Amino acid sequence: IAGHFGYRKRDQHIWVQNFKLCDGKLQSPISISSFKSITLPLPALEIIGYHDFLSTPLYLKNNGHSVVVNVNNHFGKRLPYIFGGSLDINQEYEIDHLHFHWGAKNNRGSEHMLNGIRYPMEMHIVHKNRIYSNLSNALNHKNGLVVLGIFFQLQEEDNKSLCSIINHLTSVRWINNETKLNTSITLASLLPKNTDVFYSYKGSLTTPPCNEVVTWIIFSMPVPISFSQLNKFRLLSNGNNLIADNYRKLQNIGLRKVYIRKL
Ligand code: 1SD
Ligand code: ZN
């Protein structure tokens, strides 16, 4: 959606010049602290269709900022969707795509921070409110999007559930490369084992044009990834540089509240 923007400090500094919304009061990402979060007796987040095999073909694309799996063409079938949790009653959000943010080094990469920890990678599963016909329409409405944020944590063994994506990364090494996944993905296998505990707050896209239309749901429990798997993301290129450290600097929480759902 956005034209040119970069992630180096001096590049992020000028996002606001080209994209006015990036200067708003409800920007993302933020640093989340469990102690400062408000516990609410929220119902569980209902995640429907995440256990099904997604209709193929699924495409993986290097867009120069990240690597994206588009899920929105779910021919003839209902798209996986979410509701409940911290979301307004009767509002359903269907999946549009997922993408990743990662670091050049293991001590950075996630956009959000949780209790002072910056994880080496964060996955975003972007959902749009079913009442809007497409993603660009949803971007004009406060209740347009819900993004699920999932942290990754390094472990020795490979995370088998990521293989179908990671095995294709060499085919999308360069910007605008796109490839068909030859295996299906079961979205549920990409989620943490426990989705009962999550944080939620009102924020924005973390990339220009920074629309303040996102209800963020960040799971407390991370998902494992191995060193060698993470390194494969770091080989992707935008034509000039390797893609890494594609995370936005922290934004002020301001007057916002962050809610936590516990069991
Ligand atoms: O960075 C993504 C951007 O690529 C696009 O996917 C947008 C929504 O379509 O979302 C942002 S983010 O806020 O999910 N990082
Ligand atoms: Zn993102």
Side-chain angles (χ1 to χ4, degrees):
I1 339 168
H4 283 294
F5 65 90
Y7 279 105
R8 289 172 308 183
K9 260 207 184 100
R10 59 173 178 281
D11 293 330
Q12 291 201 36
H13 207 68
I14 59 170
W15 284 13
V16 294
Q17 288 173 24
N18 302 318
F19 308 96
K20 290 279 167 313
L21 298 177
C22 299
D23 203 19
K25 298 246 178 298
L26 306 174
Q27 290 292 295
S28 297
I30 60 169
S31 177
I32 297 172
S33 144
S34 53
F35 307 108
K36 291 184 192 154
S37 303
I38 298 169
T39 305
L40 279 187
L42 294 170
L45 181 70
E46 302 293 336
I47 304 175
I48 312 294
Y50 267 57
H51 280 97
D52 305 341
F53 288 117
L54 293 171
S55 298
T56 40
L58 284 173
Y59 289 90
L60 187 71
K61 185 175 182 179
N62 172 342
N63 65 12
H65 304 295
S66 183
V67 60
V68 179
V69 182
N70 279 306
V71 186
N72 49 6
N73 287 324
H74 206 41
F75 303 103
K77 272 185 145 191
R78 209 172 166 184
L79 283 163
Y81 65 99
I82 57 177
F83 67 94
S86 54
L87 308 178
D88 283 342
I89 202 137
N90 288 332
Q91 302 284 308
E92 293 178 353
Y93 290 81
E94 56 191 23
I95 189 166
D96 186 85
H97 72 275
L98 60 90
H99 63 262
F100 301 85
H101 302 263
W102 61 92
K105 294 271 162 57
N106 296 339
N107 62 356
R108 57 187 199 240
S110 70
E111 296 215 288
H112 290 88
M113 287 182 69
L114 180 55
N115 292 330
I117 299 175
R118 201 184 272 287
Y119 288 92
M121 184 159 89
E122 181 173 335
M123 176 173 70
H124 289 157
I125 312 183
V126 179
H127 299 72
K128 94 170 169 58
N129 195 322
R130 182 169 276 138
I131 65 180
Y132 306 120
S133 54
N134 56 45
L135 200 73
S136 28
N137 280 336
L139 290 180
N140 297 321
H141 300 276
K142 270 217 276 285
N143 61 356
L145 299 186
V146 174
V147 183
L148 301 184
I150 291 121
F151 295 122
F152 285 83
Q153 188 176 44
L154 284 164
Q155 72 162 23
E156 291 291 321
E157 308 87 58
D158 284 349
N159 177 343
K160 295 276 180 312
S161 307
L162 285 170
C163 289
S164 45
I165 294 174
I166 291 175
N167 290 342
H168 288 81
L169 289 177
T170 49
S171 313
V172 296
R173 173 141 185 225
W174 306 104
I175 183 167
N176 292 330
N177 282 175
E178 194 167 7
T179 190
K180 200 153 121 184
L181 296 185
N182 58 21
T183 42
S184 190
I185 306 183
T186 313
L187 290 167
S189 70
L190 300 176
L191 297 178
K193 278 204 195 82
N194 179 324
T195 53
D196 291 326
V197 184
F198 57 81
Y199 297 87
S200 186
Y201 77 98
K202 301 281 186 191
S204 72
L205 301 182
T206 63
T207 54
C210 305
N211 305 51
E212 296 180 334
V213 298
V214 181
T215 301
W216 281 95
I217 294 181
I218 313 278
F219 294 114
S220 167
M221 181 184 267
V223 164
I225 184 170
S226 72
F227 293 92
S228 77
Q229 288 182 312
L230 182 57
N231 275 329
K232 293 185 176 143
F233 285 87
R234 295 171 174 155
L235 296 175
L236 298 172
S237 165
N238 64 15
N240 299 314
N241 299 101
L242 297 179
I243 303 175
D245 295 332
N246 53 349
Y247 62 93
R248 188 186 190 189
K249 64 180 190 218
L250 292 171
Q251 304 293 303
N252 290 326
I253 298 188
L255 299 173
R256 287 179 283 180
K257 293 187 166 64
V258 179
Y259 298 100
I260 177 171
R261 176 184 190 266
K262 298 185 191 155
L263 261 196

